Amino acid sequence: MKKNKLQKNNYQNLPNETGFFGEYGGQFVPPQLKKALEEVAAAYEVAKKDPVFQREYKTLLADYVGRPSALFFAKNLTEKLGGAKIYLKREDLNHTGAHKINHCLGEALLAKKMGKKKLLAETGAGQHGVALATAAALMGLECEIHMGAIDVAKQHPNVLRMKMLGAKVVTVNSGGRCLKDAVDSAFGAYLSDYENTFFGIGSVVGPHPYPMMVRDFQSVVGREAREQILLKENKLPDYLVACVGGGSNAMGLFHAFLNDEKVQMIGVEPAGKSFKPGDHAATLTLGKPGTLHGMFTYLLQDEQGNPLSVHSIASGLDYPGVGPQHSYLKDKERVKYTTANDKEALAAFLMLSKVEGIIPALESAHAIAHAVKLAPTLSKEKVIIVNLSGRGDKDVDYVGELLGIS
Ligand SMILES: *Cc1c(COP(=O)(O)O)cnc(C)c1O
């Protein structure tokens, strides 16, 4: 019976040709949009195998973004917590301050290859809008960013950044005037001009090929971390920890390790103010499968299937859906999903700032908050890598207000 070994799951060869990760993903869009998406998918398949495209992309990551990003042993934090060793993957050191630039450059480069003139996208807090406007400026493309009126007022510095980078910011006054309405508005604009326009989605969400394509562009994070930890520790990590909004920084870190059975992975969702509907954005923890923004995935929804309103102290995490690959990995129990609430994230934000001299983004602080809980339960030989998805510069005014510091 020697031959009778269990067939191992290969988690790295998904989605299938129609964009499904198991039952999740797909392309749930109107027929006209389907045509535009097929064009993007076909162009991406070519680019993926094109050594010229890949070389250009790698050169940009190196010389413009500043990759590889460092893998930093957080010795002070490790000693303070008294358990497993904590390493931080420093996506906060990237140009524009977060992981988002990794896939925005990929999308912009593809748009250019496809002969498109304009990049179009939605943004919530403006972080994705700024990263995409940056890529557009670099590549000489026009850029149009749709943003809810409430977010425009709240995130004024990012609106100014986008404008200085040459982007047009469209204020969305429909619905709740937040991220979901901005997505609807941007989809509408895309439908009316997809011949000239490339839709640059901000995470591993939306219809096929976006969840796959954005994951592929982000997977450089995990490939680097794998090499770096093997050099530093001479073994693979025991745990990977990342925050999950749409799920791109988490997929970016996880992808290269998915077939390493012994590496445990934890996605951290925002538990917000409470677990009452509207107070959190813990989609995988409390949601049910449904359809939103062209994909079948876990959603926070009401009885009619309408997305619920969501909240997190970190505006980059407040999305009622999640990337379909995460839904699949949750059902397969390959990745474990847990939560950190606003208070825990804020405490982790302050702890990392004071102990390591690194001010994290409030989004990333959710991942740190989980590491703070996990590390003391593990022995000192164990190794945790936390994805520090972005820096906290954008959050200091807001946190100062919360703490009453001026
Ligand atoms: C946008 C953002 C996130 C959330 O997006 P994912 O797609 O879940 O990674 C996390 N961290 C930072 C710093 C962000 O800007």
Side-chain angles (χ1 to χ4, degrees), residues 97-100 103 127-128 202-205 214 218 243-251 315-318 322 326 360-364 387-391 394-395:
H99 68 291
K100 286 194 174 78
H103 72 253
Q127 293 302 111
H128 174 57
S203 186
V204 286
V205 299
V214 172
Q218 286 294 346
C243 66
V244 176
S248 65
N249 86 88
M251 272 328 306
S315 44
L317 300 181
D318 58 5
V322 67
H326 285 291
L362 279 169
E363 290 80 3
S364 324
N387 202 8
L388 197 65
S389 54
R391 66 177 87 127
K394 67 183 179 59
D395 297 316

Side-chain angles (χ1 to χ4, degrees), residues 58-324:
K58 271 190 196 144
T59 303
L60 287 173
L61 290 181
D63 301 343
Y64 191 69
V65 178
R67 305 204 70 91
S69 68
L71 184 70
F72 173 66
F73 173 44
K75 187 161 171 278
N76 299 338
L77 185 64
T78 297
E79 278 169 9
K80 185 180 169 75
L81 297 170
K85 286 181 155 179
I86 298 175
Y87 282 85
L88 303 175
K89 182 60 174 158
R90 299 288 310 273
E91 293 301 295
D92 61 314
L93 296 177
N94 294 342
H95 178 48
T96 67
H99 68 291
K100 286 194 174 78
I101 192 72
N102 299 329
H103 72 253
C104 285
L105 286 173
E107 290 181 320
L109 202 54
L110 186 62
K112 193 136 188 176
K113 295 274 170 203
M114 291 175 74
K116 305 291 180 187
K117 293 192 183 65
K118 186 157 92 179
L119 292 177
L120 173 76
E122 79 295 341
T123 194
Q127 293 302 111
H128 174 57
V130 169
L132 200 68
T134 300
L138 178 70
M139 312 257 175
L141 294 163
E142 290 169 45
C143 186
E144 179 177 310
I145 303 293
H146 292 235
M147 190 169 183
I150 290 180
D151 290 330
V152 168
K154 241 168 69 180
Q155 307 289 342
H156 198 57
N158 276 343
V159 175
L160 289 178
R161 272 186 201 112
M162 287 185 268
K163 287 184 177 167
M164 284 172 195
L165 290 161
K168 179 178 159 197
V169 179
V170 176
T171 303
V172 178
N173 277 303
S174 55
R177 297 181 291 159
C178 284
L179 176 61
K180 192 203 148 279
D181 315 287
V183 177
D184 294 338
S185 169
F187 265 135
Y190 184 49
L191 254 181
S192 71
D193 190 24
Y194 63 77
E195 252 116 55
N196 293 310
T197 308
F198 185 95
F199 202 119
I201 288 181
S203 186
V204 286
V205 299
H208 180 65
Y210 286 93
M212 169 184 76
M213 184 168 76
V214 172
R215 175 205 65 197
D216 290 350
F217 288 136
Q218 286 294 346
S219 63
V220 63
V221 175
R223 281 198 306 276
E224 286 175 6
R226 206 171 184 287
E227 247 177 59
Q228 290 166 320
I229 200 72
L230 284 171
L231 273 177
K232 286 178 197 281
E233 291 285 337
N234 210 11
K235 63 167 194 174
L236 290 174
D238 298 285
Y239 289 88
L240 304 176
V241 179
C243 66
V244 176
S248 65
N249 86 88
M251 272 328 306
L253 178 64
F254 296 168
H255 190 67
F257 297 92
L258 281 175
N259 289 339
D260 299 306
E261 269 173 25
K262 292 205 172 118
V263 179
Q264 301 193 51
M265 303 179 193
I266 302 171
V268 187
E269 298 194 297
K273 288 184 281 206
S274 83
F275 283 120
K276 277 194 287 200
D279 274 2
H280 64 84
T283 306
L284 290 158
T285 309
L286 293 170
K288 284 197 216 83
T291 308
L292 177 70
H293 297 146
M295 59 179 167
F296 184 70
T297 190
Y298 275 81
L299 295 180
L300 292 167
Q301 53 189 322
D302 64 16
E303 252 91 273
Q304 282 78 45
N306 300 311
L308 290 171
S309 63
V310 283
H311 161 84
S312 167
I313 191 172
S315 44
L317 300 181
D318 58 5
Y319 182 61
V322 67

Side-chain angles (χ1 to χ4, degrees), residues 360-379:
L362 279 169
E363 290 80 3
S364 324
H366 286 72
I368 301 289
H370 186 71
V372 169
K373 294 179 212 170
L374 178 64
T377 69
L378 301 172
S379 65

